[in-house]
Amino acid sequence: MDISSDTAEASCRVGPIRASFAPDMDRYEVSGVEKRRHEFLTGRSLAENALCHMGCADPFVGRHPDRSPIWPAGFCGSISHSDQLCAVMVGKTSALRSIGVDIEPQGAVPDGLRDTIYGPGDDPVGSDTTLIFAAKEAFYKMWYPLTGVFLDFPEVGISVLGAQVTARLLTSTAPLPPLQQIHGCVSHCQGHIMVVFALEQAPGAQIRLYDQVSALCKTANAPPRDGKDKPPAAPGAHWITR
């Protein structure tokens, strides 16, 4: 887990949750097979731990009827998992309006779905179908809590340049004009592609998104750290401003 003043990021392997790590998981009602329970409770346990470390008194993360998370007052966040890996990012609403995270196994989305996922606003250079899919999913997970508006794949255009991914909103019916274009970050860990978008609260606010995603990937790829070996800013690190 990586903690800053406004955000917390964590990732781990999907699996049974130890009671010592998340003692209140019994309050989550989860139906379905054991694999589904492990995936859901891994995400909720990571989210609760991140919220607790940020000072949240009651870190319970509920569910709307559409199954999207209900974050405690004063916080926003996003949870994503495959059947192997789970990633969570949580932020304070004093700094962030919304967060979207998506993680997909590399090659998980076959090229046969390319015509469904790609739209006229997508730049396919240097990217693959799974990356474009993950970027659109991450943007949607950031977008939907703010608007309650569903988006189809062609309504978001994606371009990728190195570690930076840019999403452009292509629908004229969308509220929130500031979301017409936003920059996010893409990275790789344990055979997965991860994309993160974070929309800051105030115009001109700055978020070092590259470092946040690097923290998630390092947590997933390395043993626990003592907090003293923060990696230096790598080439391609960037600020996003709104």
Side-chain angles (χ1 to χ4, degrees):
M1 184 177 295
D2 188 81
I3 307 293
S4 68
S5 60
D6 295 319
T7 63
E9 304 87 38
S11 63
C12 73
R13 304 294 288 183
V14 170
I17 301 301
R18 300 189 306 274
S20 60
F21 182 65
D24 297 327
M25 289 294 102
D26 287 344
R27 59 180 174 169
Y28 289 103
E29 297 181 4
V30 192
S31 59
V33 299
E34 184 178 46
K35 174 179 175 292
R36 165 62 183 153
R37 288 179 53 83
H38 289 336
E39 292 169 351
F40 180 85
L41 293 178
T42 299
R44 288 308 195 269
S45 65
L46 280 180
E48 285 206 5
N49 274 265
L51 289 164
C52 284
H53 278 83
M54 297 187 72
C56 180
D58 183 5
F60 180 76
V61 182
R63 276 190 294 182
H64 290 288
D66 62 7
R67 303 181 67 84
S68 62
I70 302 174
W71 297 93
F75 296 90
C76 62
S78 186
I79 302 170
S80 184
H81 64 78
S82 67
D83 59 355
Q84 301 176 23
L85 193 66
C86 181
V88 171
M89 182 178 287
V90 174
K92 295 180 179 178
T93 53
S94 57
L96 297 175
R97 298 178 67 187
S98 189
I99 300 170
V101 176
D102 192 63
I103 187 166
E104 304 288 341
Q106 291 179 338
V109 183
D111 286 338
L113 294 177
R114 186 182 182 93
D115 290 343
T116 301
I117 294 167
Y118 277 73
D122 295 318
D123 180 3
V125 177
S127 60
D128 61 20
T129 307
T130 301
L131 173 53
I132 297 297
F133 175 85
K136 294 193 178 191
E137 286 289 304
F139 180 88
Y140 177 77
K141 290 168 73 172
M142 181 207 70
W143 157 269
Y144 183 74
L146 296 174
T147 65
V149 175
F150 291 98
L151 292 174
D152 290 329
F153 285 116
E155 293 182 291
V156 180
I158 299 294
S159 58
V160 182
L161 180 62
Q164 179 172 292
V165 56
T166 300
R168 296 175 303 281
L169 196 61
L170 303 178
T171 172
S172 61
T173 60
L176 301 177
L179 287 183
Q180 290 300 315
Q181 179 168 299
I182 185 170
H183 301 294
C185 193
V186 59
S187 194
H188 303 266
C189 59
Q190 292 196 6
H192 288 68
I193 294 173
M194 180 161 54
V195 181
V196 179
F197 287 103
L199 183 65
E200 55 272 45
Q201 189 65 259
Q206 294 179 319
I207 303 167
R208 199 66 184 270
L209 190 58
Y210 181 92
D211 283 350
Q212 290 174 319
V213 174
S214 295
L216 271 171
C217 291
K218 189 167 186 179
T219 302
N221 283 304
R225 297 188 286 123
D226 60 8
K228 298 179 181 179
D229 58 340
K230 180 177 175 58
H238 61 281
W239 295 94
I240 55 173
T241 61
R242 188 59 60 245

